[in-house]
Every structure is written in structure tokens, then in C-alpha cells.
Amino acid sequence: MSVPMIRSRPAQVVSAVLFMGLLFAGLLCLILAPKATVASAENRRLATWPRIDRSSVVAGRYARGVESFIADHFPLRDRLLLVSDQVSRLRGIGTPEIQIYAGAAGMVPTGEAPGDTSPPPASKSVASVASDSALTSADTLLRAEGQGVPEGSAAPEAGAGQDQSYQWNNSLVIYRGRAIQAFRLPAAASARYARVMTRWIEALGPSVSLFLMPVPVGSDFYLPARVKGPEDHERANIERLVAALPPAVVPVRAYDALSAHRDEPIFFRTDHHWTGRGAYYGYTAFAEAAGIAPLPMSAFTRRTCGRFLGSLYAQTRSPALAVTPDSVEMFLVGNRVEVRQLLFDQRTWRRGALYLGCRGYQSFLGLDYPLMTISSDVGNGRRVLVIKDSYGNAFIPYLAAHYERIWVVDYRYYAGSVQRLIEAEAIDTVIFVHNLQVLNSAYVLSREVALLAGGPPLPLATPSKSDSARKDSGQVRGTPRDRP
Amino acid sequence: MVFASLTFLFAFLPVALGGYYLLPGLRARNAFLVAASLLFYAWGEPIWVGLLLISAAVDYWHARFIAHHRGRRIAVLGVVSSLVINLSLLAGFKYAGFLTANLNAVVGTALPVPAIALPIGISFYTFQTISYTIDVYRGEVEAQRSFLDFLLFVSLFTQLVAGPIVRYRDIAEEVGHRVFRWEDLSSGIDRFCGGLFKKVVFANTAGALVGTYLGGDLATLGWMEAWFGLLMFSLQIYFDFSGYSDMAIGLGRMFGFHFLENFAHPYVATSIREFWRRWHISLGSFFRDYVYIPLGGDRHRLVRNMAIVWGLTGLWHGASWNFVLWGLYFGLLLLGERLVWGTILARLPAVFRHGYALILIMLGWALFYFTDLGRLGTFVSRLLMPPTSFALGVELQGALVSHAAWLVAALIGCLPVASWLGDRMHRWIRDERVLGGIGVVRNLTALAVATALLAAGSYNPFLYFRF
């Protein structure tokens, strides 16, 4: 060892006092500072202090829980994230033209009850029985077809992402100021979803028209050629799904409509959703499939707002995205509407709106509520139910120009029986709107079969937060740290 | 618990340091350190504390037995019995699955392969206690009378889980008689902050890159990607392990213990022999003193001794054949240097000798990384096959651009540049206050950067579900 840098006694004392002072300050702040419950930038709940009991201590869950709590509630966490961004930036000599964030698009949270209100009501015992049987039937359905839900892939993004060169399906690629979810699943992966449609046809009978709108995530349109390769994975995947659909289901060709306008801002560059404009082209494709004359874009009131950094920015914190934020473009429907939304407790109804001002993608309908109803003054008596993931939110407002009553079910959160809803409200048209990542997930298969009968959202098998935290602080594989 | 975590840095360490220095008298402090160490060890895996205590008790009593019968033949029984028990524990908890699986494969039996989660640190503390008992037998140290003080030697959290392998004779004096000195506390902090920085800034970053290249489909891995991945693993393992040793040595010093060095810039070696004098020194000297020399060392059956020592050295790193291969690979190279090409090598220009050592060390890391021998074969063939193209893939190009400055710093960090710079600074700047100020700023910056990066590790946004 070399000569120590700090040799004078006073400097040694100062060094020791400052070092220990910092550690103690951290500890005190950790104990005393008020604790947040939610990290909105990360779209998740923060860890709570774990409950202590014998089994959790012995199994090590308690210790992991404490570590998660400390990591989530660490003083000045937001500031430290900024420092970490700066430090990470210093590692390089500029930004590469193409940045790849492997696995960044594939994170899902633990299966807690969603929402902004209390947990599901006590009356759920009946519902959970229904859900169990529905789950069983979904399982049976899949197993019968030799397509069992792969273990640990109950999450929407998990999939059989085997690819020739790189397993990039869960990767984000940043290229020319745009974050793109690389879609690389084999074409056959989506065909499984056709079986869900078969189940719905069996359950609902021929009196209900079913539309399915698979929406690409933009991978074919925006991935740089070097990454994408010659094949259009999204197109192939959709074509395979459409070919497998039972004849009674009408496919909505959103891909082609979007593809024709790929040079327009149809997808956010910093968020994983399509834009109001993209959804407009989706609406024209739906209108064509349904035999409705779509309104021209000029028939809507165009409004833009905001500087919006969306979820993919939150995911990567890439400065390449931050320099050119998105803006939100809305095409307001002229009809007078009344919107009501069912909150996550599955009981409370609240008034909502089609557009909620300037709130990023949440400008469209707000959150993903379990159920919404929209009454329009269009006065034609037509009724439609939309079953959707969040991609539906930007699309649904256009329907208010054509349907007097619209029901909107979020496939993840609605606990009621959709079949009963359809029968009770005499709904004759159902539109499924899903992005390709969702359509290829195992979760959507079991969940949408379960939706027919109803039941609370299924628990998700997800990577736990503490796992990823430990990954970072763990040791090299195989180093003599005595861990396998 | 790992050192490079927010829980250790901002909960365990302040409480441990605070409690230790607030208590009066060495006995109370030793008792407190033992309690803290047991908590540290039990954190997350409490069931193995019993094993640690058993292992400590076994050698405490065996050494007492040996000391009691000193000079008589019966004393050797203490050594034999201690070895049998310690090695059985190691065999049972670390190698049982490996041994059974191999037995099944060779003999054709169908014994159930036990899946025992490895008790953390067992390889380190069993070696520490073995060395203690043997040293007592050899009369090199007195047997410790206080079980508490002996337990302190075995369980001290600073080196419990990742070394260095501390020998009792090196700290026997300090267990019972330590004096507080500001320079120990201060230099311990220096050392700890440096090690933390190595681990968090260099090892973790390299580790994130390793998986991309070595963890994926090897059949399509390009030549450049293969070597880059191997370079990243070489950096990761060095900074991780030596960073951990630095933190251990630094923490020890904060509590008044002086451990021997464990790493001495191994990548500047000009031969494999030199590499092993610089890499994991405490392990090498353990095998030298307790296996190689007792077997006869250089004088008697050199090749057999080398094979045993290096096979065991490999196996110590993990219960898998690739580690044995890794050990034997180095044994073979050392024999070669000794008997065949050593004298020629010594006459070559330094640049050639560095290249020779580095390439062989890196190839060794490939053996170390891949526990699956099939994947190992594929990877080595990617490394050694003549490259079809030197074009960089998109990913590698991106990784190089976004890590160029870090990579240069990491490569320089493998050289003894810190001590060189320190010496220069002392020559240029005579004012101790200025030097001290620089040192303090350096430490706090390292702590702050590591904290920020660790905190960012908990940043975990979700896309598809809300809460």
C-alpha cells in the first residue's frame, strides 16, 4: 500500500467524523422522514415495512422486505437518481446512434390490488369462486391444445421470445429520439389468442358481432434496419392471428392504416402508447370493418398540449429522449357525452370524461378503470362494448360519434361477468382492442376467458422488486463468495 | 448482507460503528462485535448461524485439547479430528450434490442428489478454523482461552463471507489487545470507500455487460463480442473480488484489526506464477502452507503435489467440474513455466510477457465463468476461431460508445495507479491539510457516487400495470 493520503491528525478526525456523520444522517433520515406510498414516475407502490413473524424471518423474506423498504424510502432518492443518471452519462463519450436497453420493456409489478381506492370488497368470495373456475377452464382450454401457460409467464410481456440472433423482444431500442419496443415474437405466438375468441363466440352466440383490433407497437415502423432485420415481425404476427381467427370474428386492419401514415406522429416517442392521431387511423380501420363511414379528421376539434415524457422515458431515463419531449394531440369529438367510471373497489361510480386536459396519455379517459360507460347524444340507439388494454383509451372517444351507449371494460381490472353485462344491456357489438405485446401474453389468454364469467383480477407471477435490487448488489457468479 | 448495499451502509454499519465506539472496554466491544457479526451472518439466512457456531466450537475445543496435550503424541488426534469434522462439514454442505451426482454418473447408482443451499462463507471460515488448529498444533500460536474472543476471530463480519482468509496468528494479538488510533479509523475509511467504488462503479457496470455477451446464444456470438464479453468478466471478477477485499480490510481497520493484503494488482503480472502471487493471496498462501509444503513441496513429487493443490484450489471455488478444470489449467501452466518455458519467457521483452500472462488469465476466466461444459466448449471455439469479420454489432458499438470513458478508467484502475498518484501528490503538495482535504473529498465522493448508483438500483418502473 502506498502512503495514506490523510496523514495529519486533524484531517483524520475530520475524515472519520464526516464519514460516520453521513452514515448516521442517512440512518436518521431513513427513520424520521415521512414516507411516500407510491412512486408515480415508476407506476408502482413503494415497499412497506415487512410484517415480522417466525417463518418470514427464517425464510429470509423479512430481511429482503427490510432491504426493499430501505431502497424504496432512501432519503433523497429522487435526487440520487439524477446523480446516478449523470454518473452513468460520464461513462461514455457520447450517445450511440442506437441504444439498446435489453429487457427494459418487460417489467410488470407484483399482483397487488390495483387502484386509487380501497381493496376489493368482502363480497368477492362468490366472485373468486367464479374466477377460480374460469381460471381452471382457461387452463384446461390451453392444456387441451397442448399450449400450457409456461411457468412464470403469466405476465403480459412474457413470451416465447426465441429469436435467431438476439433475444430482443423485451428490449427497448432508442433511435433518433424515439424509444421503440422491439417486437420479436414468432408469428405463431399470437395464434393462441384466436382460441379466446372461439370461447367468446361459443358463450355469446351469433347475435353478438365480435371485432378484434390488434394494434402494433411500432416496432416494424421505427426500428432501425440494422436491428429490425428484413422481417416485419409485427405484420407476420398479426397475419398469423387473423388467419387463425374463427370466421365470425371480424379483424380490424389497424396495422395497414397505421403503416400508411407511419411518417406522422402516430406513436409517442417517449411512451409505449399510440397517439390520438394513431388511434384515429385505428378508428378509420374499425369503421371500414364495421361498415360505418368514418368522420374525416377535420370533423374533430384538434387540440395539442404539453411537453410530455412518457413511460419509456421513465424506463430508460435516456437523455436522448428528454431533449425532444412529446406533445399530446387530441381530436375532440363534437357530441355531448356523459362518462361514468367504476373505481377499483368495483362498487363506486364516479363521473369521468373523454378527455382530461393535459395529462400525457392519461389525457384520454384517465386511468384504466375496470368499467366505464359513455352515453352520447348521437341518438341512434347503437350499443357497443370495448374490451381493451390501455391502447383502447385513445381510440374509444371516436366511437362516441357513432354509438349512443359505450361500455368499456379493462381486461385486467373488471371483476364482473362480461357475459352477464352483455346480456343485461342488450349489447350486440363487442370490440377487442389490444396491442401486440398483450395479445401475445399468456396472461391475456387466461384473463379474458375468465372475464366471461367474471372474477377479481388474477394474481400475476412477476419478478419481485427485491430480486432486481439484489441482482445489482449481488456478487459475480462463481466468485468465491460462497453463493451458487 | 452484502457490503455494497444501502442496508449495510446506512443501517448496519452506523449502528455497528456507533455501538462499538460507545461501549467502554475491549471485552464489551468484542462481545458487541460478535453479536453484530452473528446478526450480519443471520441476515436473510438465519438457519446457518448454528453451523457457524458449531464450527467455531469444534476448533476452539480441539485447540484446547491440543494445547493441553502439547508435546505428546495424542495431540495429533486433535488435528486429525478437527480436519475430519471441518472437511466433512464442507463436503456435506458444499459438495454433497456434486459428489452424489458424479457418483451416480460414474457408478450408475440413482442416489437422490441433495439440493442444499450453500451456507454463506463456509469455505472461508472453515479454512480459517483449520489453519488455527494446525497452527496451534505446530506451536505457532497459543490456543485462545476465551471462546468469545475465538468466536470473534471466526465470525467477524468484515471478512466472514468473502475473505480474505484471515489466519489467527495474524490477528491473535489484536483480538485481545487493540488500541484505538485515529489513523486506523481514517485509513480504514479510505480503504473501504475505495473498495466500495470499485465494486459499485466498476464491477457492477462490467457485470451488467457480461450477461449480454456471455449469457445469451453463444452459437451466433461474434469474435469481437466474445472477447469483449470475456474482457468484461475479467474486469468484473477483479473489481468485485478485490473491491470486496478492500472493503473487508478497511472495515477491519475501522475496528482496529490489521488484515494482510489479498490482492496486489494481479493484471500487471508478467507470468502465471506472478499472477498467483498477486491474486487472492490469502488463499494461495493457505494452500501453500497447509497442503503444498506438507505434501513435499518442490522437493518431493512436484507434479503430484501441483495436481493436488491446483485441483483443490479449483474445487474450493465451487462444486463444479469447470472450477476443477480452471485450477488444473493453472497448475499445468505453472508447471510449464517452471519446467519448460519459464527461462525463455523471462528473457522476452516485457510487453510480450504481459500479453502472454493476460491472454492466459482471460482464457482461464472463460473456464471459470461457464459451469456448463457444453457452453464452455462453444464459447472457447468462438474465442479461438479466426474471426470472419471485425465489424462491430449494433449492441457492441452502442456499448463501446456509452462505456468508452468507463472502460479506459477501468483498465487504468487495474494498474497500481492509485498508489503512484498518492506518492506523486505527497511529493508535489507538501501541505498535509491540503492532502487531507483531497483525501476526505475523494472518500465522500466515492461514498456519494456509490450511494446514488445503489439507490438507482431500486428504480424499477412498470409499463403494463398500474400499481
Side-chain angles (χ1 to χ4, degrees):
Chain A
M1 269 307 282
S2 59
V3 197
M5 187 74 95
I6 308 173
R7 284 195 302 196
S8 76
R9 169 65 57 83
Q12 288 169 349
V13 175
V14 169
S15 171
V17 167
L18 280 178
F19 176 79
M20 287 165 75
L22 260 183
L23 301 190
F24 275 106
L27 179 61
L28 280 180
C29 291
L30 204 50
I31 296 169
L32 299 177
K35 307 285 183 286
T37 53
V38 161
S40 53
E42 295 164 63
N43 201 18
R44 68 176 176 93
R45 281 180 198 283
L46 294 169
T48 50
W49 188 263
R51 262 206 340 230
I52 188 163
D53 59 53
R54 210 182 123 89
S55 78
S56 76
V57 170
V58 171
R61 282 195 310 275
Y62 182 73
R64 286 197 293 279
V66 171
E67 291 188 9
S68 294
F69 180 86
I70 289 175
D72 273 4
H73 299 280
F74 197 75
L76 303 176
R77 184 168 175 267
D78 292 345
R79 294 280 177 80
L80 289 170
L81 286 177
L82 294 177
V83 174
S84 162
D85 289 346
Q86 294 289 344
V87 171
S88 305
R89 225 158 288 164
L90 287 174
R91 293 193 299 219
I93 47 165
T95 314
E97 194 193 13
I98 301 171
Q99 288 170 273
I100 296 170
Y101 290 77
M107 291 188 184
V108 285
T110 48
E112 290 174 73
D116 52 359
T117 54
S118 56
S123 67
K124 83 182 166 76
S125 56
V126 177
S128 66
V129 172
S131 152
D132 287 344
S133 61
L135 173 60
T136 312
S137 62
D139 257 3
T140 321
L141 169 82
L142 296 167
R143 226 174 275 133
E145 311 272 358
Q147 294 271 2
V149 183
E151 197 181 325
S153 68
E157 293 69 37
Q162 299 297 325
D163 203 66
Q164 310 84 7
S165 51
Y166 293 105
Q167 295 177 343
W168 270 347
N169 187 56
N170 278 343
S171 300
L172 285 175
V173 176
I174 295 183
Y175 178 60
R176 297 191 174 162
R178 177 190 291 279
I180 308 140
Q181 304 173 68
F183 183 89
R184 283 262 175 157
L185 291 176
S190 64
R192 295 183 300 180
Y193 186 78
R195 296 186 203 115
V196 176
M197 295 290 93
T198 307
R199 281 299 291 266
W200 279 67
I201 290 168
E202 284 165 12
L204 300 178
S207 60
V208 181
S209 325
L210 296 185
F211 293 85
L212 170 63
M213 173 151 69
V215 186
V217 294
S219 179
D220 280 3
F221 306 152
Y222 302 116
L223 275 184
R226 289 182 65 190
V227 176
K228 186 173 89 68
E231 201 182 333
D232 283 337
H233 282 86
E234 291 196 284
R235 176 194 292 279
N237 190 281
I238 290 173
E239 278 174 5
R240 184 68 184 273
L241 168 60
V242 168
L245 284 178
V249 179
V250 183
V252 177
R253 309 270 179 187
Y255 182 97
D256 301 331
L258 289 164
S259 180
H261 297 276
R262 62 173 77 188
D263 295 332
E264 297 171 37
I266 52 174
F267 285 91
F268 288 107
R269 284 175 290 101
T270 70
D271 194 83
H272 69 287
H273 295 104
W274 57 354
T275 60
R277 183 180 287 264
Y280 171 79
Y281 294 120
Y283 149 73
T284 59
F286 167 71
E288 191 184 324
I292 300 170
L295 297 176
M297 208 179 253
S298 58
F300 301 96
T301 311
R302 180 171 176 272
R303 183 163 296 167
T304 61
C305 69
R307 289 161 56 79
F308 164 50
L309 286 174
S311 59
L312 299 183
Y313 172 73
Q315 195 82 44
T316 58
R317 299 174 72 87
S318 165
L321 297 179
V323 288
T324 50
D326 280 301
S327 67
V328 181
E329 187 181 33
M330 284 174 276
F331 297 92
L332 310 186
V333 180
N335 302 74
R336 285 206 2 219
V337 295
E338 190 186 310
V339 180
R340 295 182 58 74
Q341 57 209 19
L342 177 66
L343 302 186
F344 293 98
D345 64 0
Q346 311 277 346
R347 284 186 300 195
T348 317
W349 284 89
R350 204 169 61 180
R351 182 179 289 276
L354 292 185
Y355 311 98
L356 286 101
C358 229
R359 290 171 52 183
Y361 190 73
Q362 288 181 18
S363 304
F364 305 101
L365 301 188
L367 296 175
D368 291 310
Y369 294 101
L371 177 64
M372 297 178 81
T373 61
I374 300 163
S375 309
S376 161
D377 66 352
V378 65
N380 59 10
R382 297 174 71 170
R383 301 169 155 238
V384 67
L385 163 67
V386 183
I387 293 172
K388 55 92 191 175
D389 55 56
S390 56
Y391 267 58
N393 298 9
F395 161 77
I396 286 157
Y398 299 108
L399 297 179
H402 302 278
Y403 290 89
E404 189 174 319
R405 290 275 282 159
I406 304 164
W407 285 263
V408 179
V409 163
D410 191 288
Y411 84 106
R412 292 159 290 188
Y413 304 132
Y414 184 54
S417 156
V418 174
Q419 186 168 359
R420 247 176 281 153
L421 178 73
I422 289 170
E423 285 160 8
E425 303 289 354
I427 296 165
D428 61 359
T429 305
V430 179
I431 314 171
F432 291 84
V433 183
H434 285 305
N435 74 61
L436 274 196
Q437 299 281 23
V438 168
L439 277 177
N440 280 275
S441 71
Y443 180 74
V444 77
L445 302 181
S446 49
R447 181 64 192 147
E448 283 194 355
V449 173
L451 261 186
L452 274 167
L458 304 177
L460 293 169
T462 53
S464 83
K465 222 202 66 52
S466 54
D467 283 348
S468 63
R470 264 179 305 157
K471 220 186 300 159
D472 226 54
S473 52
Q475 67 283 336
V476 189
R477 186 175 141 216
T479 43
R481 189 82 35 84
D482 269 0
R483 288 287 191 145
Chain B
M1 203 183 300
V2 289
F3 294 157
S5 71
L6 296 174
T7 310
F8 178 81
L9 290 173
F10 293 95
F12 183 87
L13 188 54
V15 172
L17 279 169
Y20 180 82
Y21 280 113
L22 285 176
L23 284 169
L26 203 56
R27 285 216 63 74
R29 287 178 173 187
N30 280 358
F32 177 78
L33 267 186
V34 167
S37 297
L38 293 181
L39 172 70
F40 178 91
Y41 189 70
W43 188 253
E45 267 171 275
I47 51 170
W48 298 126
V49 174
L51 194 64
L52 177 74
L53 292 173
I54 290 170
S55 184
V58 162
D59 283 279
Y60 172 76
W61 285 111
H62 279 76
R64 305 275 298 153
F65 173 84
I66 293 166
H68 186 73
H69 297 287
R70 185 168 299 291
R72 280 183 269 166
R73 288 179 69 94
I74 193 172
V76 77
L77 262 183
V79 176
V80 171
S81 158
S82 157
L83 277 177
V84 167
I85 295 172
N86 275 307
L87 296 179
S88 304
L89 286 180
L90 208 51
F93 286 96
K94 187 168 176 175
Y95 300 105
F98 177 69
L99 292 173
T100 322
N102 281 294
L103 189 71
N104 286 345
V106 173
V107 189
T109 47
L111 300 171
V113 178
I116 300 168
L118 186 64
I120 190 166
I122 188 169
S123 320
F124 289 95
Y125 67 71
T126 45
F127 272 35
Q128 292 201 173
T129 56
I130 287 174
S131 77
Y132 164 73
T133 307
I134 294 177
D135 285 355
V136 170
Y137 176 74
R138 289 175 174 173
E140 291 177 11
V141 283
E142 289 288 316
Q144 174 60 255
R145 288 169 175 278
S146 154
F147 181 65
L148 183 80
D149 285 352
F150 182 68
L151 189 56
L152 177 64
F153 156 71
V154 179
S155 71
L156 190 59
F157 72 88
T158 55
Q159 89 292 337
L160 178 60
V161 294
I165 299 166
V166 174
R167 296 212 211 155
Y168 179 74
R169 63 178 179 214
D170 294 330
I171 61 161
E173 188 62 26
E174 287 172 346
V175 166
H177 308 277
R178 304 195 286 290
V179 281
F180 171 75
R181 294 189 306 173
W182 280 104
E183 64 182 274
D184 279 341
L185 183 56
S186 165
S187 69
I189 290 168
D190 281 4
R191 212 42 207 282
F192 179 80
C193 290
L196 182 66
F197 192 81
K198 274 167 135 179
K199 162 70 183 149
V200 178
V201 174
F202 289 121
N204 286 0
T205 307
L209 292 166
V210 168
T212 314
Y213 299 98
L214 304 192
D217 182 4
L218 299 174
T220 55
L221 199 66
W223 186 83
M224 298 285 279
E225 276 82 5
W227 276 99
F228 182 75
L230 191 58
L231 174 66
M232 287 304 108
F233 184 62
S234 307
L235 291 174
Q236 182 193 10
I237 195 161
Y238 168 63
F239 281 112
D240 187 273
F241 201 5
S242 79
Y244 222 90
S245 283
D246 286 343
M247 287 189 272
I249 291 168
L251 286 167
R253 217 167 287 173
M254 289 184 212
F255 294 101
F257 292 96
H258 294 79
F259 305 144
L260 296 179
E261 291 300 328
N262 208 23
F263 285 86
H265 307 288
Y267 290 158
V268 304
T270 54
S271 67
I272 298 304
R273 186 178 157 84
E274 188 185 353
F275 171 71
W276 275 102
R277 284 201 301 256
R278 293 171 172 274
W279 177 275
H280 204 174
I281 299 163
S282 64
L283 180 72
S285 59
F286 179 95
F287 275 109
R288 184 195 62 214
D289 293 348
Y290 300 106
V291 184
Y292 185 66
I293 291 175
L295 281 173
D298 301 355
R299 289 187 216 115
H300 180 61
R301 303 179 77 172
L302 172 71
V303 176
R304 182 204 66 171
N305 298 348
M306 291 285 269
I308 292 174
V309 164
W310 288 97
L312 288 177
T313 301
L315 196 59
W316 180 87
H317 286 81
S320 170
W321 280 111
N322 69 304
F323 294 116
V324 179
L325 275 181
W326 177 76
L328 291 175
Y329 165 82
F330 279 114
L332 214 60
L333 289 174
L334 288 166
L335 268 180
E337 282 183 5
R338 206 179 171 106
L339 303 176
V340 189
W341 60 80
T343 44
I344 307 167
L345 185 70
R347 275 186 235 128
L348 292 172
V351 61
F352 183 86
R353 284 181 284 142
H354 282 296
Y356 155 87
L358 275 178
I359 288 175
L360 289 177
I361 293 164
M362 282 176 71
L363 288 175
W365 291 137
L367 292 174
F368 196 93
Y369 181 84
F370 291 100
T371 43
D372 179 328
L373 296 184
R375 277 175 71 78
L376 171 67
T378 314
F379 183 73
V380 171
S381 73
R382 307 305 304 175
L383 282 180
L384 300 182
M385 268 207 294
T388 48
S389 136
F390 288 100
L392 298 180
V394 183
E395 256 175 331
L396 182 53
Q397 217 169 29
L400 283 174
V401 173
S402 58
H403 291 81
W406 170 88
L407 182 58
V408 171
L411 293 175
I412 292 175
C414 295
L415 308 174
V417 67
S419 58
W420 178 86
L421 200 65
D423 292 346
R424 284 298 129 106
M425 297 256 263
H426 279 288
R427 239 174 280 166
W428 295 330
I429 308 167
R430 299 279 175 186
D431 191 334
E432 289 291 344
R433 280 174 306 180
V434 176
L435 283 168
I438 295 172
V440 171
V441 169
R442 186 201 80 129
N443 289 347
L444 296 186
T445 307
L447 179 64
V449 167
T451 304
L453 291 180
L454 289 172
S458 73
Y459 180 75
N460 198 14
F462 293 117
L463 281 191
Y464 284 94
F465 281 79
R466 187 169 174 77
F467 304 141

